[in-house]
Amino acid sequence: NTNNRMWRAVLQIKSTNLGGTDDAASLRRIRDFIMKPSILEELKTGVADAVIIEITDGETSTELESRQIVEQLNNISPHIFAKGIQIPGFNLSEAPRKADDHDAHGQDILPSTGTFSNVWREHGIRLGRLADLPKAMQRILFEQVMQRNQM
């Protein structure tokens, strides 16, 4: 059936290069919105907070520009909080891998290329499993609330 053929085709993909995402495009749009005078004034005076969370496989074709925008966002105001969450992609090739490279369901996890860390640095969280996403989101929001309360 069509569903089985589709999955067989996906499993035959040998390339593990997940690059190609233009993260900078969305980050640029967020930065441009925040830089509008009325929005920026609210963020700088503490009338409003902005929590920006990018959920990604960690690869990007715009590493340098993305890193620069992340740094800009996190330095505009303490009321702007930009974080990245990496959920590593699964290796869909049939090549065997070490047992410790598997997630809880036995699927192979791609090793990090370092791109995510280069872009997000101390503002990034790398998850091992998709199931960890809700707790990571809660942690980010909690950190922002705590930072806000300390101002």
Side-chain angles (χ1 to χ4, degrees):
N1 76 34
T2 304
N3 197 30
N4 286 341
R5 284 194 311 265
M6 179 188 69
W7 280 110
R8 272 191 232 109
V10 169
L11 291 172
Q12 289 176 0
I13 296 172
K14 298 297 183 189
S15 172
T16 58
N17 178 6
L18 300 177
T21 306
D22 182 359
D23 296 38
S26 58
L27 292 168
R28 232 184 348 266
R29 288 186 69 161
I30 292 167
R31 182 196 57 206
D32 293 348
F33 175 79
I34 285 173
M35 295 306 286
K36 290 181 180 179
S38 61
I39 303 296
L40 187 59
E41 181 64 23
E42 288 183 354
L43 291 167
K44 284 193 169 191
T45 59
V47 171
D49 288 343
V51 178
I52 303 149
I53 301 171
E54 179 185 70
I55 301 170
T56 176
D57 64 9
E59 301 302 317
T60 182
S61 60
T62 58
E63 181 177 347
L64 180 59
E65 185 181 5
S66 295
R67 180 178 62 208
Q68 291 170 342
I69 296 170
V70 166
E71 289 174 3
Q72 289 171 353
L73 288 169
N74 281 308
N75 289 317
I76 293 170
S77 163
H79 296 281
I80 299 171
F81 200 66
K83 287 281 196 177
I85 299 175
Q86 180 185 15
I87 303 170
F90 292 109
N91 182 354
L92 298 176
S93 75
E94 296 179 41
R97 300 192 39 101
K98 296 183 292 183
D100 60 350
D101 286 343
H102 295 281
D103 76 352
H105 303 289
Q107 292 179 296
D108 293 329
I109 304 262
L110 289 171
S112 175
T113 62
T115 303
F116 177 80
S117 295
N118 289 339
V119 170
W120 288 96
R121 300 183 181 202
E122 72 274 10
H123 303 290
I125 300 169
R126 185 171 196 257
L127 304 181
R129 300 175 317 130
L130 181 59
D132 297 333
L133 181 59
K135 286 187 181 187
M137 298 283 288
Q138 289 174 343
R139 188 171 110 203
I140 289 170
L141 295 173
F142 179 76
E143 286 176 11
Q144 176 61 11
V145 169
M146 293 304 294
Q147 181 175 319
R148 172 79 169 163
N149 288 338
Q150 293 174 357
M151 291 181 192

